[in-house]
Amino acid sequence: MHIVTSRPEKLTFAQTMDSIKLHFSNKFTSVHFTNYYPKYGPLKSKADVCVEEGIKILIDDSLSYAQECAKRGIKVLL
């Protein structure tokens, strides 16, 4: 399992990793930051990350991300 987050890595890396370690220790293979706020780093879509990593199912709380991934053949649970 992977985590794909829209958080900006530059601003939230330590906080995000600490939270994952606390609540989900050793449950995920990798964490991918898509930098939804491009002024903090290169922007990458969740769909692109899923395709590159071979992720076939995405669980997300954003309709727009869900639709973007579904258009690329990724199954989505919203």
Side-chain angles (χ1 to χ4, degrees):
M1 290 194 306
H2 301 262
I3 293 176
V4 182
T5 179
S6 59
R7 290 176 167 207
E9 185 173 9
K10 222 178 225 185
L11 294 179
T12 65
F13 181 82
Q15 176 188 16
T16 301
M17 298 308 289
D18 288 346
S19 180
I20 292 166
K21 184 177 179 182
L22 177 66
H23 299 288
F24 304 105
S25 184
N26 300 317
K27 303 289 185 219
F28 294 94
T29 303
S30 60
V31 179
H32 305 273
F33 292 81
T34 64
N35 294 311
Y36 179 74
Y37 308 95
K39 71 179 185 177
Y40 297 112
L43 177 65
K44 193 171 213 176
S45 76
K46 286 188 177 186
D48 286 343
V49 171
C50 289
V51 169
E52 289 171 8
E53 295 297 323
I55 297 169
K56 301 196 183 316
I57 300 171
L58 178 73
I59 300 170
D60 209 294
D61 62 352
S62 166
L63 179 59
S64 62
Y65 293 143
Q67 290 172 326
E68 179 185 348
C69 288
K71 288 178 185 174
R72 304 277 294 272
I74 299 156
K75 293 182 182 186
V76 181
L77 299 172
L78 187 61

